[in-house]
């Protein structure tokens, strides 16, 4: 029996290349943390998430944090027992505490598993379809750009209308890529990322501004005011989402 005991500490360190928002969401989902506990965990100071665990349990925590894109420190536990720290034991790995039975995951029924696989299959189909659309959009962009350059007879390679057309197609490709990222992140952690959806909406509206044709609008001034109000609302919503993410998100 392993008599060595260890403390598990987390200081907000992430695996290189890991997005901090993605790591926060994965850790919150993996350990079923409340928003307050998540803010405490990413508060910028070292937090002891478990005390006095054995080596096998410490290794499991290390693997769980690593899968979420974060890194923990495992240090030898002192002989004296300090107050109970932040609890990150929803899976009953340590077998400690009176709430162990409450933290055991509920067994999934056949309906739960079937719905989970069906949801994954639909998300995979959507990911494949949006990938095909993105590839087609890139091919179309290359073809349009080549045709405009070859057919140009003047001093400049592209005139103003052709530049607006190319910029609009660039933004279409960017929207497709952002949708791919949103669907992929939903498949990995089953959460809708409001921040990415707002970015997609802002990008789509920005493309509308780039390719704006006021001659076809009945009241250009009113149309532009509505467009500006909608863009301002989306930008304000994105700002509030980033502001409410908490002080420990690295932004």
């Amino acid at each position: 029996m392993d008599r060595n005991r260890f403390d598990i500490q987390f200081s907000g360190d992430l695996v290189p290349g890991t997005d901090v928002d993605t790591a926060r969401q994965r850790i919150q989902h993996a350990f079923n943390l409340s928003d307050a506990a998540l803010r405490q965990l990413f508060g910028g100071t070292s937090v002891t998430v478990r005390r006095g665990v054995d080596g096998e349990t410490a290794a499991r925590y290390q693997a769980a944090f690593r899968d979420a894109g974060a890194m923990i420190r495992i240090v030898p536990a002192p002989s004296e027992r300090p107050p109970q720290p932040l609890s990150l034991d929803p899976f009953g790995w340590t077998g400690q505490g009176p709430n162990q039975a409450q933290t055991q995951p509920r067994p999934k029924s056949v309906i739960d598993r079937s719905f989970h696989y069906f949801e994954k299959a639909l998300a995979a189909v959507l990911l494949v379809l949006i990938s095909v659309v993105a590839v087609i959009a890139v091919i179309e962009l290359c073809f349009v750009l080549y045709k405009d350059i070859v057919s140009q007879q003047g001093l400049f390679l592209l005139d103003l209308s052709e530049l607006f057309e190319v910029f609009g197609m660039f933004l279409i490709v960017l929207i497709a890529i952002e949708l791919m990222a949103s669907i992929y992140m939903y498949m990995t952690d089953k959460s809708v990322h409001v921040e990415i959806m707002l970015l997609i909406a802002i990008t789509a509206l920005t493309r509308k501004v780039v390719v704006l044709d006021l001659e076809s609008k009945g009241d250009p001034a009113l149309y532009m005011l509505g467009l500006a109000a909608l863009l301002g609302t989306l930008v304000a919503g994105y700002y509030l989402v980033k502001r409410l993410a908490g002080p420990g998100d690295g932004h």
Side-chain angles (χ1 to χ4, degrees):
M1 182 177 179
D2 185 8
R3 296 182 178 274
N4 296 324
R5 293 293 166 176
F6 304 92
D7 290 348
I8 300 174
Q9 299 176 354
F10 179 69
S11 303
D13 298 328
L14 301 179
V15 175
T18 302
D19 179 67
V20 63
D21 292 330
T22 302
R24 285 167 60 97
Q25 291 163 358
R26 289 177 178 174
I27 291 176
Q28 185 175 26
H29 180 265
F31 296 103
N32 195 24
L33 296 179
S34 64
D35 293 339
L38 187 67
R39 286 193 297 269
Q40 180 184 354
L41 194 62
F42 283 87
T45 59
S46 179
V47 177
T48 301
V49 297
R50 290 301 303 177
R51 297 186 189 274
V53 299
D54 55 24
E56 182 180 357
T57 301
R60 290 181 181 178
Y61 273 99
Q62 188 176 42
F65 271 85
R66 186 173 59 248
D67 291 341
M71 296 184 295
I72 60 174
R73 292 194 307 121
I74 301 175
V75 299
S79 56
E80 297 182 359
R81 299 290 295 175
Q84 182 68 17
L86 175 68
S87 177
L88 289 180
D89 191 23
F91 307 117
W93 286 343
T94 60
Q96 300 174 358
N99 297 326
Q100 179 184 357
Q102 299 178 3
T103 58
Q104 292 289 345
R106 179 179 62 88
K108 292 185 177 180
S109 64
V110 176
I111 297 178
D112 292 335
R113 292 194 298 268
S114 300
F115 179 77
H116 173 73
Y117 292 137
F118 178 71
E119 189 179 30
K120 286 283 189 179
L122 287 183
V125 171
L126 288 177
L127 185 60
V128 171
L129 291 178
I130 194 62
S131 301
V132 173
V133 171
V135 172
I136 293 176
V138 172
I139 295 175
E140 182 73 16
L141 173 61
C142 295
F143 175 76
V144 170
L145 187 59
Y146 172 77
K147 184 183 66 174
D148 290 342
I149 293 177
V150 171
S151 61
Q152 190 65 31
Q153 301 295 331
L155 177 62
F156 299 101
L157 293 178
L158 298 174
D159 57 27
L160 191 59
S161 62
E162 291 172 340
L163 282 175
F164 281 132
E165 180 185 12
V166 171
F167 286 156
M169 296 191 67
F170 267 109
L171 290 175
I172 289 177
V173 175
L174 182 60
I175 292 172
I177 294 174
E178 290 175 345
L179 282 173
M180 288 171 55
S182 178
I183 296 174
Y184 176 76
M185 294 175 71
Y186 177 79
M187 291 178 62
T188 56
D189 54 19
K190 294 190 64 177
S191 63
V192 178
H193 296 264
V194 180
E195 178 182 339
I196 294 183
M197 301 308 296
L198 286 173
L199 284 176
I200 294 174
I202 293 173
T203 305
L205 201 58
T206 304
R207 177 191 173 275
K208 191 70 175 179
V209 174
V210 171
V211 298
L212 184 62
D213 183 14
L214 293 178
E215 296 179 357
S216 61
K217 308 303 177 184
D219 191 344
L222 187 60
Y223 181 82
M224 291 184 65
L225 284 175
L227 206 61
L230 183 57
L231 185 58
T233 303
L234 290 174
V235 172
Y238 178 78
Y239 169 77
L240 291 177
V241 169
K242 297 292 290 183
R243 183 75 177 271
L244 294 175
D249 61 353
H251 297 280

